Amino acid sequence: MIEEAARLLGRCSRLVVFTGSGVSAESGLATFRGAGGLWEGYPVEDVATPEAFARDPLLVWRFYAMRREKAKSAQPNPAHLAIARMQALFGSFCVVTQNVDGLHQRAGSRPVLELHGSLWTVRCTGCGASRVDEQVPLPELPPRCPVCGGMERPGVVWFGEALPEAVWREAEKLCQAVDGMVVVGTSGVVWPAAGLVELAAASGAVVVEVNPEPSALAHLARVHIPMKAGQALPALEAALRKKADAGC
Ligand code: BV8
Ligand code: ZN
């Protein structure tokens, strides 16, 4: 599978790597769905919707403070690092992630489009000012806006909320222009993010999926590598590099 994927992707010049929480699983960060997933301990409607935040901002902030603490002590894993190395092998390359942990950036990937925002930004519910605050723990929960003193919220996209307009537009433009897409560690059930894979496939891109389980996007993949990202991505990057060095 790795060889076949490298053969197909080796012909591409414009690549997007589309990732979900599975790419951070081997960094020790919990995924969302399935056994032991985050939503098991914290139902979505209690911690990941605007209504939940309006109802109990402190409960929501405790959930995100826990996520920040775990993400801060997590390290980029071999998958993040291989994706960062892979960038140099393609004319144009971009990571489009549903993750909010910042591990792609810490592994050296640039640019990274964060469709669902970031754990490391907070936004004022009063004046809308948004800032990066990587302190763990935060001095107080909920954090207070330094501009107006208003209550700040996590800078992430909750269910029922629109994705950041500029990021979404750029991701759409990119995914309809690529000739290759690697989909890593996503169950493909969250929209409109999952629609980017359909868009790439519909635009003729060859789609390779890396996931130990089949996802809701499996029908779009030319090749499915049923492996963990931490094993598959370094092997894929090595196979692509060998082809690039051989000039074929
Ligand atoms: C919106 C918060 C409307 C941040 C998240 C159609 C169109 C539009 C919307 C909808 C639609 N249908 C339904 C909706 C509503 C909803 C939705 O998609 N619901 C789903 C669940 C049915 N969508 C929305 O509400 C979106 N907003 O559309 O608003 C609107 C429009 C205009 C104006 C106003 C309003 C907002 C969606 C974003 C929600 N926020 N999170 C946070 O706390 O993180 S979503 C959440 O799920 C995370 O962001 C996560 O990234 C995302 C996707 O999950 P995955 O990353 O795929 O993780 P999962 O656990 O599911 O899967 C992990 C996978 O990894 C598995 O397949 C597993 O096999 C694999 N794996 C495990 N280990 C490994 C591995 N793979 C590789 N290696 C390993 N080691
Ligand atoms: Zn403010």
Side-chain angles (χ1 to χ4, degrees):
M1 243 79 88
I2 300 273
E3 274 312 308
E4 173 61 2
R7 191 179 62 78
L8 289 168
L9 294 172
R11 298 194 203 127
C12 300
S13 58
R14 298 179 312 284
L15 196 80
V16 155
V17 178
F18 178 81
T19 66
S21 62
V23 79
S24 298
E26 289 152 277
S27 298
L29 296 184
T31 56
F32 289 89
R33 296 164 184 86
L38 276 165
W39 298 148
E40 228 170 56
Y42 300 86
V44 172
E45 54 279 357
D46 293 351
V47 292
T49 65
E51 295 74 19
F53 187 70
R55 189 172 50 242
D56 190 344
L58 203 48
L59 172 72
V60 172
W61 261 113
R62 285 213 191 94
F63 173 63
Y64 282 96
M66 174 274 289
R67 302 254 322 265
R68 287 165 58 102
E69 198 181 323
K70 292 194 186 313
K72 183 115 189 179
S73 52
Q75 295 306 320
N77 69 57
H80 295 109
L81 297 169
I83 290 167
R85 289 195 307 271
M86 207 181 277
Q87 179 134 8
L89 302 174
F90 291 88
S92 98
F93 184 97
C94 186
V95 172
V96 176
T97 188
Q98 301 170 90
N99 298 341
V100 295
D101 55 33
L103 288 179
H104 282 302
Q105 294 91 324
R106 282 173 51 195
S109 284
R110 293 285 181 289
V112 175
L113 293 184
E114 292 178 314
L115 297 173
H116 294 158
S118 167
L119 285 174
W120 307 115
T121 49
V122 291
R123 188 169 71 245
C124 180
T125 58
C127 71
S130 110
R131 61 191 178 90
V132 173
D133 186 333
E134 298 189 343
Q135 295 178 90
V136 170
L138 283 161
E140 64 167 317
L141 289 183
R144 292 267 147 227
C145 171
V147 175
C148 77
M151 176 171 67
E152 290 175 315
R153 58 164 281 175
V156 300
V157 179
W158 283 322
F159 286 97
E161 292 189 317
L163 276 58
E165 187 52 36
V167 172
W168 176 252
R169 262 205 317 272
E170 193 179 340
E172 262 190 327
K173 202 166 89 220
L174 204 63
C175 292
Q176 58 199 22
V178 289
D179 51 9
M181 179 182 267
V182 185
V183 178
V184 191
T186 182
S187 58
V189 300
V190 171
W191 289 78
L196 293 171
V197 183
E198 272 189 355
L199 190 60
S203 315
V206 63
V207 176
V208 170
E209 180 161 37
V210 176
N211 193 325
E213 311 287 332
S215 77
L217 302 165
H219 61 291
L220 298 168
R222 284 274 292 283
V223 175
H224 174 232
I225 300 173
M227 287 166 69
K228 291 188 170 186
Q231 284 144 352
L233 270 296
L236 180 59
E237 189 261 341
L240 284 165
R241 186 169 298 283
K242 214 166 91 209
K243 281 183 180 321
D245 293 350
C248 65

